[in-house]
Amino acid sequence: MVKNLYFILIVLYFPLYCFSQDVKISAEIDPYNIIENRPLSGTIEVTHDQKIKIDPSKFTIEGKPLKAELVKNVKISENNPLIVSIFHFELPPMPKGLQILPEISLTVGNKIYKSFPSTFEVLGATQSNANVPAENKPALTLKAKVDGPTPLYPGQKVKLSYFYYYSGNIELSQEELPLLEAKGFRKIGEKDIKDYEENGKSVREISQEIEAINPGEFTFGKSIIAGVAYEEDDLGRRTYLQSKLQSEAPSITIVVKPFPSKGRPASFNGAVGQFSSFEAKLLSAPEMDVGDKISLSIDIKGKTSDWSRLSLPDLCCQPGFSGLFKQSDIPPIGIVQDGNKHFEVEMRPLSSNIKQIPSIEFAYFDPFSISYKTLHSDPIPISVMPAPKIENEEGKLPQPTVYSSQSKNPTQITDGVHQPPAIEIAGNYSLSTSDLYDYTFGTWWVFILIPVGVGIIFLQLNLQRKFMESQSIVKSKTSDEVFQDAMHPISDTSAFYRLLTKAFLTRLVERGEIPSVDTSVNDLPREGAPGEVRSFLRELEEKRFSGQEETSLQIEKEKAKVLFEQLK
Amino acid sequence: MIENTVKRIPAPLLLFIIGFIVALLPFFIIQHFSSAKSKLKDAYENYISGEKAETIAERQNAFNKALTLYSQLETEYQPYYGNGKLFYDIANTYFQLGQYPRAVYYYNQALVLMPRNEAVKQNLKVALTKLNLTPASDDSIFRSIFFFHYLLSLPERFEAFFFLGCLVIGFLSAYIWKKINWIKNCLIVFSLLCCIFLLSILYSIYLSPIEGVVIRSTSLYRDAGYQYAKVQEEPVLAGSKVEVLGVPEDGKWLKILSSDGTLGFIPGESIKIIKS
């Protein structure tokens, strides 16, 4: 009964104990590389709280230290403090057969944690992939291909390609690819290498574009590739699986046919393709003088494998050109634009008898019909005049003018082709450095005059205003001075009365009796000193307008003096 | 008191005069010590050698050397507000080398800066004759009325504006201090002239058409690209003067109005714009 109880408790308690452990450890041998006489690699997984640091040097196996390397730490979840630390270890080779991986111990602090022992089978070396399905076994196949027109003619291009079909990882130890050397052809650009998947297999495509130069038969011997399949573990270490893999592609012959000699036009210069039009147009004026430059544009439209090799026929050798036109020494460079090649040609007419630019023949070889074809441009009517005479406005030939720079010029040269023609224009100025510069006041910066000028004017206006204000505060005459002026003999009696009034009013202002000299006499107060002045001035006014001013003027002056003295 | 004050020169005006003189000094110094003298001398000597050459090869060689030097000077100094003589010399050199379209371009460029120079006009006429082109007629009522706009180059009008502007400022300053009728009359006249020249300058800058010379014969296309149809079969001949109406975004094609009033597009490399 007691034993049963203990057993039940152990059964119930043990899982709880396991779950409650803070460190758990498990170990196994990697199943992909268990081959006799080869080191065994294994993995230890330690689940622990992230706060606990696991020391890799604390692993032991069968009481001996086990060298382990940390591969990585994996967090179980964001909210879970537990992480799984993965370690890698190696064991010495074991013989073929069923083997046991003993428990592996880990010491953390004072506690020892152990993994469970496990068993594994060590395979013999020849049985390493015995259990691998046939479709997954490593394989290697080579194919070669030539893409392009057939037959080939000089100047045409083809693309040579090799295809490696393989599965698994293969390390190549031999590659003999004579097609890529392309002896006897001209390589166009670099090799193009592509990797992709096709029908579950990996494919590597290596291609090279080439151009036929000379006619002939070119045979490229068989192509071979060879290598060894391998497997790679997590650390990138390779394990080679079986014997050598090899594949061959048969030899290939490329035939470059010569252009047929039968029916070859005289103007043929190697153009190959199918062309639809050949047009020539005049770019300069249709009327010209002997020796003047003619510009022609020539457009060739059609299809060819290599536009860069397409060149213009030699115009000098075409009928109607030789001896009548002088070609430019510089060969025209064509511009290729979407199925069209454009040339611009310059030439000069040598005779005034020329009536047209003759039709130009363009010959090409059509590889599809295996025949030569020609296209012709339309003739272009032109009018060529003899060398010009420069006339003045009166329709007369000008008298010879000797320009200062031409004073020692030799006499007129009549042959305009081989010797320099006569100078037709006025000569150059002898320049000085001042001729290289802009006019000092001839550029944009003169506009700065506007804001500067406005500023100067405003400053002056401001200055003037302040000056005028200061001048307005002019010291005015005193009452005594005005009275003295009034007492002077004056012919104009009205001036006397005006000055006298001003003198008295000024005196009253000085006394503070009235606010301003502009006060009217009638507005003066009637009492006090202002009243006396008011009475006196009103009396004067009455006498003045009554016609008595001349007789009483002196008397009034005396009275005024007395009153003025009183007001001091 | 007022008379005494008038006799004093206002300080701001004095400062302006001093600053003006100081600003002019560097121009004279730089001109005096320029290193372009030797290039100019060599270019001219090569041109003269070209005129005197007895064989085509010698002539070509001499003119090519002269052109190289003139072109270097043009690139270095770019005297588009100068007297135009450099462009005239370059035009002559191109003419001597048989490059008539480029000669026409440079004659037009020189004419912008030397509008009254008969030698430029005559040489331009000869170059156009070489290209079988008819010189455009200059007679119009606008030329008669606004003769100063056509007879004076833009730099000359800038100069006229500047000097008239200085006179206006001077007379206005005097009028502020001395209200005299003859000063006022002079002020009105000079102000009017100054405004006329200012308007002429502004017209040249903002309203006058941009012109160019076709230096390589080309077809006229309906839009900016060779893939478009041609407007007309006849090409725009090299040496033709055209009006530039616009430049599409990529700047490789220009929209032009030819001398016969046809609108179309031409490649940018076949035309040179006259800088005015």
Side-chain angles (χ1 to χ4, degrees), chain A residues 206-233:
Chain A
I206 306 172
S207 52
Q208 171 73 61
E209 197 173 18
I210 58 169
E211 180 187 332
I213 304 170
N214 298 312
E217 249 185 46
F218 300 88
T219 301
F220 303 95
K222 62 181 177 181
S223 312
I224 303 171
I225 56 170
V228 179
Y230 66 89
E231 282 178 355
E232 208 168 75
D233 61 15

PDB file of all heavy atoms in Angstrom, chain A residues 206-233:
ATOM      1  N   ILE A 206      25.087  29.871 -70.049  1.00  0.00           N
ATOM      2  CA  ILE A 206      26.236  30.740 -70.383  1.00  0.00           C
ATOM      3  C   ILE A 206      26.176  30.988 -71.883  1.00  0.00           C
ATOM      4  O   ILE A 206      26.168  30.038 -72.668  1.00  0.00           O
ATOM      5  CB  ILE A 206      27.575  30.060 -70.036  1.00  0.00           C
ATOM      6  CG1 ILE A 206      27.572  29.625 -68.574  1.00  0.00           C
ATOM      7  CG2 ILE A 206      28.738  30.984 -70.326  1.00  0.00           C
ATOM      8  CD1 ILE A 206      28.766  28.777 -68.196  1.00  0.00           C
ATOM      9  N   SER A 207      26.091  32.271 -72.277  1.00  0.00           N
ATOM     10  CA  SER A 207      25.963  32.547 -73.713  1.00  0.00           C
ATOM     11  C   SER A 207      26.944  33.630 -74.135  1.00  0.00           C
ATOM     12  O   SER A 207      27.360  34.455 -73.332  1.00  0.00           O
ATOM     13  CB  SER A 207      24.532  32.959 -74.063  1.00  0.00           C
ATOM     14  OG  SER A 207      24.112  34.007 -73.237  1.00  0.00           O
ATOM     15  N   GLN A 208      27.271  33.602 -75.408  1.00  0.00           N
ATOM     16  CA  GLN A 208      28.220  34.554 -75.987  1.00  0.00           C
ATOM     17  C   GLN A 208      27.775  34.868 -77.412  1.00  0.00           C
ATOM     18  O   GLN A 208      27.514  33.953 -78.204  1.00  0.00           O
ATOM     19  CB  GLN A 208      29.625  33.956 -75.988  1.00  0.00           C
ATOM     20  CG  GLN A 208      30.662  34.757 -76.770  1.00  0.00           C
ATOM     21  CD  GLN A 208      31.068  36.027 -76.052  1.00  0.00           C
ATOM     22  OE1 GLN A 208      31.585  35.999 -74.945  1.00  0.00           O
ATOM     23  NE2 GLN A 208      30.827  37.154 -76.684  1.00  0.00           N
ATOM     24  N   GLU A 209      27.694  36.168 -77.722  1.00  0.00           N
ATOM     25  CA  GLU A 209      27.323  36.547 -79.083  1.00  0.00           C
ATOM     26  C   GLU A 209      28.597  36.674 -79.918  1.00  0.00           C
ATOM     27  O   GLU A 209      29.591  37.252 -79.456  1.00  0.00           O
ATOM     28  CB  GLU A 209      26.573  37.878 -79.061  1.00  0.00           C
ATOM     29  CG  GLU A 209      25.796  38.136 -80.344  1.00  0.00           C
ATOM     30  CD  GLU A 209      24.925  39.376 -80.258  1.00  0.00           C
ATOM     31  OE1 GLU A 209      25.161  40.217 -79.378  1.00  0.00           O
ATOM     32  OE2 GLU A 209      24.032  39.498 -81.089  1.00  0.00           O
ATOM     33  N   ILE A 210      28.538  36.150 -81.130  1.00  0.00           N
ATOM     34  CA  ILE A 210      29.721  36.222 -82.005  1.00  0.00           C
ATOM     35  C   ILE A 210      29.294  36.690 -83.388  1.00  0.00           C
ATOM     36  O   ILE A 210      28.120  36.610 -83.756  1.00  0.00           O
ATOM     37  CB  ILE A 210      30.437  34.857 -82.134  1.00  0.00           C
ATOM     38  CG1 ILE A 210      29.467  33.803 -82.679  1.00  0.00           C
ATOM     39  CG2 ILE A 210      30.995  34.414 -80.790  1.00  0.00           C
ATOM     40  CD1 ILE A 210      30.147  32.513 -83.087  1.00  0.00           C
ATOM     41  N   GLU A 211      30.294  37.126 -84.146  1.00  0.00           N
ATOM     42  CA  GLU A 211      30.018  37.626 -85.494  1.00  0.00           C
ATOM     43  C   GLU A 211      30.931  36.903 -86.467  1.00  0.00           C
ATOM     44  O   GLU A 211      32.130  36.746 -86.206  1.00  0.00           O
ATOM     45  CB  GLU A 211      30.287  39.127 -85.534  1.00  0.00           C
ATOM     46  CG  GLU A 211      30.042  39.755 -86.894  1.00  0.00           C
ATOM     47  CD  GLU A 211      30.499  41.202 -86.919  1.00  0.00           C
ATOM     48  OE1 GLU A 211      30.505  41.860 -85.871  1.00  0.00           O
ATOM     49  OE2 GLU A 211      30.883  41.655 -88.002  1.00  0.00           O
ATOM     50  N   ALA A 212      30.360  36.494 -87.574  1.00  0.00           N
ATOM     51  CA  ALA A 212      31.158  35.813 -88.596  1.00  0.00           C
ATOM     52  C   ALA A 212      32.017  36.827 -89.328  1.00  0.00           C
ATOM     53  O   ALA A 212      31.552  37.914 -89.675  1.00  0.00           O
ATOM     54  CB  ALA A 212      30.233  35.105 -89.580  1.00  0.00           C
ATOM     55  N   ILE A 213      33.271  36.470 -89.518  1.00  0.00           N
ATOM     56  CA  ILE A 213      34.188  37.382 -90.211  1.00  0.00           C
ATOM     57  C   ILE A 213      34.492  36.863 -91.614  1.00  0.00           C
ATOM     58  O   ILE A 213      34.296  37.556 -92.605  1.00  0.00           O
ATOM     59  CB  ILE A 213      35.506  37.536 -89.418  1.00  0.00           C
ATOM     60  CG1 ILE A 213      35.194  38.001 -87.992  1.00  0.00           C
ATOM     61  CG2 ILE A 213      36.431  38.509 -90.107  1.00  0.00           C
ATOM     62  CD1 ILE A 213      36.388  37.943 -87.077  1.00  0.00           C
ATOM     63  N   ASN A 214      34.962  35.634 -91.663  1.00  0.00           N
ATOM     64  CA  ASN A 214      35.369  35.063 -92.949  1.00  0.00           C
ATOM     65  C   ASN A 214      34.537  33.825 -93.260  1.00  0.00           C
ATOM     66  O   ASN A 214      34.083  33.122 -92.352  1.00  0.00           O
ATOM     67  CB  ASN A 214      36.846  34.653 -92.904  1.00  0.00           C
ATOM     68  CG  ASN A 214      37.735  35.847 -92.670  1.00  0.00           C
ATOM     69  OD1 ASN A 214      37.592  36.880 -93.329  1.00  0.00           O
ATOM     70  ND2 ASN A 214      38.638  35.735 -91.706  1.00  0.00           N
ATOM     71  N   PRO A 215      34.361  33.555 -94.536  1.00  0.00           N
ATOM     72  CA  PRO A 215      33.626  32.318 -94.869  1.00  0.00           C
ATOM     73  C   PRO A 215      34.454  31.096 -94.508  1.00  0.00           C
ATOM     74  O   PRO A 215      35.683  31.156 -94.415  1.00  0.00           O
ATOM     75  CB  PRO A 215      33.417  32.426 -96.390  1.00  0.00           C
ATOM     76  CG  PRO A 215      34.253  33.541 -96.869  1.00  0.00           C
ATOM     77  CD  PRO A 215      34.731  34.336 -95.705  1.00  0.00           C
ATOM     78  N   GLY A 216      33.755  29.978 -94.265  1.00  0.00           N
ATOM     79  CA  GLY A 216      34.456  28.717 -93.949  1.00  0.00           C
ATOM     80  C   GLY A 216      33.600  27.848 -93.076  1.00  0.00           C
ATOM     81  O   GLY A 216      32.487  28.214 -92.686  1.00  0.00           O
ATOM     82  N   GLU A 217      34.165  26.646 -92.762  1.00  0.00           N
ATOM     83  CA  GLU A 217      33.483  25.720 -91.860  1.00  0.00           C
ATOM     84  C   GLU A 217      34.229  25.698 -90.542  1.00  0.00           C
ATOM     85  O   GLU A 217      35.422  25.414 -90.522  1.00  0.00           O
ATOM     86  CB  GLU A 217      33.509  24.306 -92.459  1.00  0.00           C
ATOM     87  CG  GLU A 217      32.135  23.842 -92.884  1.00  0.00           C
ATOM     88  CD  GLU A 217      32.121  22.416 -93.355  1.00  0.00           C
ATOM     89  OE1 GLU A 217      32.714  21.545 -92.679  1.00  0.00           O
ATOM     90  OE2 GLU A 217      31.531  22.187 -94.426  1.00  0.00           O
ATOM     91  N   PHE A 218      33.545  25.954 -89.484  1.00  0.00           N
ATOM     92  CA  PHE A 218      34.206  26.058 -88.178  1.00  0.00           C
ATOM     93  C   PHE A 218      33.599  25.003 -87.269  1.00  0.00           C
ATOM     94  O   PHE A 218      32.413  25.037 -86.970  1.00  0.00           O
ATOM     95  CB  PHE A 218      33.995  27.462 -87.573  1.00  0.00           C
ATOM     96  CG  PHE A 218      34.538  28.567 -88.426  1.00  0.00           C
ATOM     97  CD1 PHE A 218      33.749  29.145 -89.424  1.00  0.00           C
ATOM     98  CD2 PHE A 218      35.834  29.024 -88.261  1.00  0.00           C
ATOM     99  CE1 PHE A 218      34.257  30.157 -90.229  1.00  0.00           C
ATOM    100  CE2 PHE A 218      36.346  30.032 -89.056  1.00  0.00           C
ATOM    101  CZ  PHE A 218      35.565  30.595 -90.046  1.00  0.00           C
ATOM    102  N   THR A 219      34.455  24.043 -86.875  1.00  0.00           N
ATOM    103  CA  THR A 219      33.975  22.947 -86.012  1.00  0.00           C
ATOM    104  C   THR A 219      34.527  23.136 -84.613  1.00  0.00           C
ATOM    105  O   THR A 219      35.724  23.360 -84.437  1.00  0.00           O
ATOM    106  CB  THR A 219      34.436  21.595 -86.569  1.00  0.00           C
ATOM    107  OG1 THR A 219      33.911  21.448 -87.888  1.00  0.00           O
ATOM    108  CG2 THR A 219      33.913  20.452 -85.695  1.00  0.00           C
ATOM    109  N   PHE A 220      33.646  23.048 -83.649  1.00  0.00           N
ATOM    110  CA  PHE A 220      34.046  23.157 -82.256  1.00  0.00           C
ATOM    111  C   PHE A 220      33.838  21.795 -81.616  1.00  0.00           C
ATOM    112  O   PHE A 220      32.744  21.257 -81.617  1.00  0.00           O
ATOM    113  CB  PHE A 220      33.205  24.234 -81.549  1.00  0.00           C
ATOM    114  CG  PHE A 220      33.309  25.584 -82.214  1.00  0.00           C
ATOM    115  CD1 PHE A 220      32.373  26.004 -83.145  1.00  0.00           C
ATOM    116  CD2 PHE A 220      34.392  26.412 -81.939  1.00  0.00           C
ATOM    117  CE1 PHE A 220      32.494  27.233 -83.769  1.00  0.00           C
ATOM    118  CE2 PHE A 220      34.512  27.649 -82.560  1.00  0.00           C
ATOM    119  CZ  PHE A 220      33.572  28.054 -83.483  1.00  0.00           C
ATOM    120  N   GLY A 221      34.929  21.182 -81.087  1.00  0.00           N
ATOM    121  CA  GLY A 221      34.923  19.822 -80.539  1.00  0.00           C
ATOM    122  C   GLY A 221      33.957  19.682 -79.382  1.00  0.00           C
ATOM    123  O   GLY A 221      33.315  20.634 -78.954  1.00  0.00           O
ATOM    124  N   LYS A 222      33.841  18.432 -78.888  1.00  0.00           N
ATOM    125  CA  LYS A 222      32.835  18.199 -77.855  1.00  0.00           C
ATOM    126  C   LYS A 222      33.179  18.981 -76.582  1.00  0.00           C
ATOM    127  O   LYS A 222      34.336  19.200 -76.255  1.00  0.00           O
ATOM    128  CB  LYS A 222      32.703  16.710 -77.543  1.00  0.00           C
ATOM    129  CG  LYS A 222      33.919  16.040 -77.009  1.00  0.00           C
ATOM    130  CD  LYS A 222      33.612  14.563 -76.778  1.00  0.00           C
ATOM    131  CE  LYS A 222      34.879  13.876 -76.297  1.00  0.00           C
ATOM    132  NZ  LYS A 222      34.660  12.438 -76.081  1.00  0.00           N
ATOM    133  N   SER A 223      32.120  19.324 -75.886  1.00  0.00           N
ATOM    134  CA  SER A 223      32.251  20.125 -74.654  1.00  0.00           C
ATOM    135  C   SER A 223      32.058  19.193 -73.475  1.00  0.00           C
ATOM    136  O   SER A 223      31.232  18.277 -73.530  1.00  0.00           O
ATOM    137  CB  SER A 223      31.187  21.225 -74.627  1.00  0.00           C
ATOM    138  OG  SER A 223      31.163  21.899 -75.855  1.00  0.00           O
ATOM    139  N   ILE A 224      32.821  19.392 -72.436  1.00  0.00           N
ATOM    140  CA  ILE A 224      32.762  18.524 -71.248  1.00  0.00           C
ATOM    141  C   ILE A 224      32.690  19.362 -69.990  1.00  0.00           C
ATOM    142  O   ILE A 224      33.409  20.359 -69.865  1.00  0.00           O
ATOM    143  CB  ILE A 224      34.032  17.639 -71.149  1.00  0.00           C
ATOM    144  CG1 ILE A 224      34.214  16.817 -72.412  1.00  0.00           C
ATOM    145  CG2 ILE A 224      33.972  16.738 -69.907  1.00  0.00           C
ATOM    146  CD1 ILE A 224      35.546  16.099 -72.486  1.00  0.00           C
ATOM    147  N   ILE A 225      31.825  18.903 -69.049  1.00  0.00           N
ATOM    148  CA  ILE A 225      31.885  19.459 -67.686  1.00  0.00           C
ATOM    149  C   ILE A 225      31.870  18.279 -66.732  1.00  0.00           C
ATOM    150  O   ILE A 225      31.246  17.249 -66.999  1.00  0.00           O
ATOM    151  CB  ILE A 225      30.742  20.436 -67.370  1.00  0.00           C
ATOM    152  CG1 ILE A 225      29.366  19.791 -67.597  1.00  0.00           C
ATOM    153  CG2 ILE A 225      30.879  21.710 -68.184  1.00  0.00           C
ATOM    154  CD1 ILE A 225      28.221  20.614 -67.072  1.00  0.00           C
ATOM    155  N   ALA A 226      32.577  18.415 -65.620  1.00  0.00           N
ATOM    156  CA  ALA A 226      32.630  17.349 -64.614  1.00  0.00           C
ATOM    157  C   ALA A 226      32.734  17.961 -63.232  1.00  0.00           C
ATOM    158  O   ALA A 226      33.264  19.069 -63.076  1.00  0.00           O
ATOM    159  CB  ALA A 226      33.830  16.442 -64.873  1.00  0.00           C
ATOM    160  N   GLY A 227      32.228  17.203 -62.240  1.00  0.00           N
ATOM    161  CA  GLY A 227      32.291  17.724 -60.876  1.00  0.00           C
ATOM    162  C   GLY A 227      31.868  16.684 -59.876  1.00  0.00           C
ATOM    163  O   GLY A 227      31.582  15.535 -60.221  1.00  0.00           O
ATOM    164  N   VAL A 228      31.785  17.086 -58.597  1.00  0.00           N
ATOM    165  CA  VAL A 228      31.427  16.185 -57.492  1.00  0.00           C
ATOM    166  C   VAL A 228      30.285  16.813 -56.722  1.00  0.00           C
ATOM    167  O   VAL A 228      30.317  18.011 -56.418  1.00  0.00           O
ATOM    168  CB  VAL A 228      32.635  15.979 -56.557  1.00  0.00           C
ATOM    169  CG1 VAL A 228      32.253  15.073 -55.403  1.00  0.00           C
ATOM    170  CG2 VAL A 228      33.804  15.395 -57.317  1.00  0.00           C
ATOM    171  N   ALA A 229      29.268  15.973 -56.378  1.00  0.00           N
ATOM    172  CA  ALA A 229      28.137  16.467 -55.579  1.00  0.00           C
ATOM    173  C   ALA A 229      28.550  16.555 -54.128  1.00  0.00           C
ATOM    174  O   ALA A 229      29.385  15.771 -53.653  1.00  0.00           O
ATOM    175  CB  ALA A 229      26.942  15.543 -55.739  1.00  0.00           C
ATOM    176  N   TYR A 230      27.961  17.478 -53.380  1.00  0.00           N
ATOM    177  CA  TYR A 230      28.268  17.612 -51.960  1.00  0.00           C
ATOM    178  C   TYR A 230      27.054  18.119 -51.236  1.00  0.00           C
ATOM    179  O   TYR A 230      26.090  18.589 -51.849  1.00  0.00           O
ATOM    180  CB  TYR A 230      29.462  18.561 -51.751  1.00  0.00           C
ATOM    181  CG  TYR A 230      29.178  19.989 -52.156  1.00  0.00           C
ATOM    182  CD1 TYR A 230      28.633  20.907 -51.253  1.00  0.00           C
ATOM    183  CD2 TYR A 230      29.462  20.418 -53.458  1.00  0.00           C
ATOM    184  CE1 TYR A 230      28.365  22.203 -51.631  1.00  0.00           C
ATOM    185  CE2 TYR A 230      29.200  21.707 -53.835  1.00  0.00           C
ATOM    186  CZ  TYR A 230      28.664  22.602 -52.936  1.00  0.00           C
ATOM    187  OH  TYR A 230      28.387  23.889 -53.317  1.00  0.00           O
ATOM    188  N   GLU A 231      27.163  17.971 -49.896  1.00  0.00           N
ATOM    189  CA  GLU A 231      26.130  18.553 -49.033  1.00  0.00           C
ATOM    190  C   GLU A 231      26.794  19.509 -48.072  1.00  0.00           C
ATOM    191  O   GLU A 231      27.949  19.308 -47.674  1.00  0.00           O
ATOM    192  CB  GLU A 231      25.392  17.443 -48.260  1.00  0.00           C
ATOM    193  CG  GLU A 231      24.365  16.734 -49.138  1.00  0.00           C
ATOM    194  CD  GLU A 231      23.654  15.599 -48.402  1.00  0.00           C
ATOM    195  OE1 GLU A 231      24.037  15.312 -47.263  1.00  0.00           O
ATOM    196  OE2 GLU A 231      22.742  15.009 -48.995  1.00  0.00           O
ATOM    197  N   GLU A 232      26.033  20.490 -47.664  1.00  0.00           N
ATOM    198  CA  GLU A 232      26.599  21.541 -46.813  1.00  0.00           C
ATOM    199  C   GLU A 232      25.782  21.626 -45.541  1.00  0.00           C
ATOM    200  O   GLU A 232      24.548  21.635 -45.580  1.00  0.00           O
ATOM    201  CB  GLU A 232      26.517  22.865 -47.576  1.00  0.00           C
ATOM    202  CG  GLU A 232      27.592  23.856 -47.193  1.00  0.00           C
ATOM    203  CD  GLU A 232      27.626  25.008 -48.184  1.00  0.00           C
ATOM    204  OE1 GLU A 232      26.728  25.845 -48.112  1.00  0.00           O
ATOM    205  OE2 GLU A 232      28.545  25.028 -49.015  1.00  0.00           O
ATOM    206  N   ASP A 233      26.474  21.675 -44.371  1.00  0.00           N
ATOM    207  CA  ASP A 233      25.719  21.795 -43.132  1.00  0.00           C
ATOM    208  C   ASP A 233      25.497  23.284 -42.792  1.00  0.00           C
ATOM    209  O   ASP A 233      25.812  24.158 -43.581  1.00  0.00           O
ATOM    210  CB  ASP A 233      26.445  21.051 -41.987  1.00  0.00           C
ATOM    211  CG  ASP A 233      27.824  21.637 -41.727  1.00  0.00           C
ATOM    212  OD1 ASP A 233      28.111  22.758 -42.207  1.00  0.00           O
ATOM    213  OD2 ASP A 233      28.629  20.980 -41.050  1.00  0.00           O
TER     214      ASP A 233
END
